[in-house]
Amino acid sequence: MRLSPIDPEGVSPVELQQRIGADRRGAPYLLFRDASGEQHIVELAEQAQQLTIGRAGGCQVSLHWDGGVSRAHARLERLGEGDWMLVDDGLSRNGSIVNGERLGQRRRLVDGDVLRFGQTSVLYRAPQIDAGLTVTLHSGSGEVNLTPAQRRVLVALCRPYAAGGFASPASNRQIAEELVLSVEAVKTQLRALFEKFEIEPLARDAKRSRLVQRAFETGAITLRDLAS
């Protein structure tokens, strides 16, 4: 399975809960890891109209461990109420990358953009839409109605998080082997789960990770379920 550049070794349950908390608060934020692999979340609602990204200690987003990052590498500027723009005026030594493409000068960011400065990848999240979906999932009965088969597949998908260390969602084959199902049957159940949890169109691995997040967020799955 191809891992996210943000999570080369997977995500721990504690880190997942931190992300869920940031999503619930609804403000845009930056997510990245330092040289030791520790997760950092910078919530942009707490910042001024602009903030600097760079290696210098005075930068609001300091990537001091990355020698490929200039002292003042780039900046983020607030647009209106909640949107943000990445600006690189060409002063940085190695430039800024957005979703694999070199930034010309400035770009309005959208939820899910992956920024790279030097060797450090930074995820931009704007979860207001996700927060609305969570309310929808909690409205009415307050539950997501799952069939027994869907619940078994969801538990198996989340099983790697039971150990408490870094983890990635189980693969289709791992789920199939645990539940004694065909891989096609697992795919069918996952498609239904993506629909029930209102997972937006994403790359395959990102969709699976988002499904795990939604499962914990809505209470459909708890860490206790994974121990059974």
Side-chain angles (χ1 to χ4, degrees):
M1 177 182 295
R2 181 177 57 82
L3 297 177
S4 162
I6 311 298
D7 305 314
E9 298 183 23
V11 185
S12 72
V14 171
E15 290 173 337
L16 184 60
Q17 289 300 319
Q18 291 172 344
R19 298 181 189 192
I20 289 171
D23 282 352
R24 284 177 172 168
R25 288 188 287 276
Y29 64 88
L30 302 178
L31 172 68
F32 56 92
R33 295 186 183 278
D34 61 23
S36 68
E38 181 180 352
Q39 173 174 284
H40 293 265
I41 292 177
V42 178
E43 298 194 22
L44 300 181
E46 300 175 357
Q47 305 297 330
Q49 293 300 310
Q50 70 174 39
L51 65 157
T52 305
I53 301 168
R55 193 159 42 85
C59 294
Q60 289 88 348
V61 180
S62 178
L63 309 179
H64 57 85
W65 60 87
D66 192 329
V69 175
S70 299
R71 289 182 57 80
H73 195 105
R75 68 180 184 274
L76 284 172
E77 294 184 356
R78 191 192 301 269
L79 299 173
E81 291 298 319
D83 292 340
W84 288 81
M85 175 181 290
L86 177 64
V87 180
D88 187 326
D89 292 327
L91 299 179
S92 62
R93 184 169 66 253
N94 296 318
S96 303
I97 307 297
V98 180
N99 300 329
E101 298 180 357
R102 190 179 181 90
L103 177 67
Q105 185 174 12
R106 56 186 58 217
R107 177 164 171 169
R108 188 179 193 137
L109 299 178
V110 298
D111 182 38
D113 279 346
V114 177
L115 323 177
R116 194 174 83 243
F117 310 101
Q119 297 302 311
T120 302
S121 293
V122 178
L123 176 67
Y124 173 79
R125 288 282 288 123
Q128 295 95 331
I129 296 177
D130 288 341
L133 292 176
T134 300
V135 171
T136 301
L137 291 171
H138 279 286
S139 64
S141 66
E143 298 178 353
V144 179
N145 295 316
L146 302 176
T147 67
Q150 289 167 354
R151 180 171 176 76
R152 287 194 295 271
V153 168
L154 188 58
V155 169
L157 178 75
C158 300
R159 184 83 66 193
Y161 294 86
F166 291 103
S168 296
S171 67
N172 290 345
R173 185 158 298 281
Q174 288 172 324
I175 297 171
E177 291 175 354
E178 176 180 335
L179 302 180
V180 193
L181 295 172
S182 69
V183 171
E184 280 305 314
V186 171
K187 290 180 179 178
T188 297
Q189 298 297 344
L190 283 173
R191 283 194 290 269
L193 288 166
F194 290 145
E195 182 175 349
K196 285 196 172 184
F197 282 87
E198 299 173 321
I199 305 300
E200 62 272 29
L202 295 166
R204 186 190 67 175
D205 294 343
K207 285 182 69 173
R208 297 166 73 87
S209 296
R210 188 60 60 86
L211 178 56
V212 170
Q213 180 174 340
R214 290 278 174 81
F216 283 113
E217 185 179 35
T218 60
I221 297 295
T222 67
L223 291 177
R224 183 178 300 176
D225 294 323
L226 307 185
S228 59

